[in-house]
Amino acid sequence: MDDGTPAPLLEVRGLRKHFGGVKAVDGCDFEVGAGEMVGLIGPNGAGKSTVVELLSGLLKPDAGTVLFDGREIQGLPPHRIFASGLSRCFQLAKPWPRLSVLENLLIAIPPEGKDTIWRALLTPPSRVRAAERAARERALAVAEQYRLHPLRNDYAYTLSGGQRRLLEFARIALARPKLALLDEPMAGVNPVLQVEIERGIRNLVEDGTTVLLIEHNLGFVERICDRVIVMVEGRVAATGSLAELRDNPIVQDAYLGVVGAA
Ligand code: ADP
Ligand code: MG
C-alpha cells in the first residue's frame, strides 16, 4: 500500500561503535529522506564524525543496521558503499597532489558498467574517443560551475585549502551520488570561499543529491538545512527544525550552552 510517504533513503538503526571504554556511537537511530538537506549537529566528541566513518565503511560498526537505498550496507568495504551511491567529503580535503585539477576531476567520473576492461578492449577506438571527449566536456562544465576552470591545468597541491574543498565538491558532483556526507566542509576555509562552498552544497542538492551536513556554524545550518539531527554522547537527542530545537532543554543544555550561565 502506498500512503504517499516516500521510503527513507538512509535508515540508521541501533548503530554502535565503542573505542575501548569510549562510547563514541552508542545506539544511534535516524533517517534521511530522499532529496532532504539535513544537518547533523552536536557538541565536540558527540560521535558525528564516527557516524560518517561508519556509514562510509572506513570503520566497521560493533552493532546496528544501515539501510541505504533499500539495502543493508553496514560493514561493507568503502568502495562497495561508494559504488552504491554514497559519497563523503573528508574533514581535510585530499586531492591527488601530482595530478592537475582537470585530471582530478576526470578520475572522479565513474566508469559505466562493471566490465570496463572488457569494454575497453572490445569497444571500437572511435567510440572510446567519443566517450573520453564527453567525460572531458562534463569535467570542464563542472569545473566552470565550481569556479575551478581557471585553475584546471594547475597541480592540485598548489591549491589553497578552500580551493581543495571546491575541488572535492566538484568531484562529488561528477560522481553523482544519491547521498553525500559532508563533515565540516567550512572548516579552515576563508569567508570568500565559504560563500562558494555554500553555493556548492546547494548545487549538489539541486542536482538531486541528498545531503547530510555536519557543521558547527548554526547560522549556516539554519540557512540551508530543512531539518537537523542533534547528537549527544553517541545518540540522537532530538530532531526537528533548528527554530523548534532552540527551545528544547536537552539541546540548550548539551549544545547551545545557555543553561547555568548566571
Ligand atoms: P565529533 O565528530 O562529534 O566531534 P567523534 O566522532 O570524532 O566526535 O568522536 C567521538 C568520541 O570518540 C570522542 O570521544 C573521540 O575522542 C572518540 N574517538 C573517535 N575516533 C576514535 C578512535 N579512532 N580511537 C579512539 N577514540 C576515538
Ligand atoms: Mg568531527
Side-chain angles (χ1 to χ4, degrees):
M1 285 246 288
D2 184 5
D3 64 357
T5 316
L9 179 62
L10 177 74
E11 221 177 318
V12 175
R13 293 281 166 253
L15 195 64
R16 196 173 80 207
K17 181 74 185 175
H18 294 182
F19 299 103
V22 178
K23 297 177 178 177
V25 176
D26 195 31
C28 190
D29 298 284
F30 66 89
E31 296 176 358
V32 177
E36 266 195 305
M37 164 80 235
V38 178
L40 179 60
I41 65 174
N44 266 329
K48 306 179 296 295
S49 293
T50 305
V51 165
V52 168
E53 309 285 294
L54 292 169
L55 296 181
S56 59
L58 287 181
L59 287 175
K60 290 199 190 306
D62 300 336
T65 55
V66 178
L67 211 60
F68 175 60
D69 204 19
R71 284 191 301 171
E72 290 195 12
I73 59 162
Q74 72 277 0
L76 291 180
H79 66 274
R80 295 263 319 270
I81 293 179
F82 175 78
S84 75
L86 195 157
S87 287
R88 56 85 56 93
C89 92
F90 289 84
Q91 220 157 336
L92 282 174
K94 285 174 277 190
W96 296 95
R98 292 271 162 194
L99 295 183
S100 71
V101 167
L102 181 58
E103 287 163 340
N104 266 282
L105 293 176
L106 285 170
I107 59 176
I109 299 177
E112 313 236 337
K114 288 185 183 135
D115 49 345
T116 45
I117 291 173
W118 288 109
R119 279 159 76 101
L121 289 173
L122 297 174
T123 308
S126 59
R127 287 212 3 229
V128 173
R129 277 197 297 276
E132 277 172 4
R133 226 177 6 253
R136 204 180 150 82
E137 274 165 22
R138 247 197 95 210
L140 286 170
V142 169
E144 187 82 52
Q145 195 182 6
Y146 286 84
R147 320 235 165 148
L148 293 165
H149 199 265
L151 305 168
R152 64 192 177 283
N153 295 320
D154 294 2
Y155 281 126
Y157 75 82
T158 66
L159 301 183
S160 73
Q163 289 167 337
R164 279 174 206 212
R165 187 60 80 195
L166 284 175
L167 176 55
E168 198 173 27
F169 275 101
R171 286 164 54 87
I172 292 176
L174 284 166
R176 289 196 173 129
K178 297 188 183 91
L179 174 67
L181 308 174
L182 309 177
D183 193 354
E184 301 195 27
M186 296 291 195
V189 174
N190 75 48
V192 175
L193 282 181
Q194 281 188 3
V195 176
E196 297 292 330
I197 295 203
E198 181 166 342
R199 218 168 50 90
I201 296 172
R202 290 182 197 277
N203 281 343
L204 286 182
V205 177
E206 275 163 24
D207 289 349
T209 291
T210 301
V211 171
L212 182 66
L213 168 75
I214 298 179
E215 181 55 49
H216 278 297
N217 180 337
L218 292 186
F220 172 52
V221 170
E222 188 149 38
R223 259 199 322 280
I224 71 169
C225 293
D226 311 320
R227 185 166 74 84
V228 297
I229 296 167
V230 185
M231 252 187 103
V232 180
E233 294 179 1
R235 293 161 181 255
V236 172
T239 68
S241 76
L242 204 51
E244 293 158 11
L245 293 175
R246 280 188 199 284
D247 297 330
N248 179 322
I250 302 172
V251 177
Q252 289 189 350
D253 190 23
Y255 191 65
L256 302 172
V258 294
V259 171

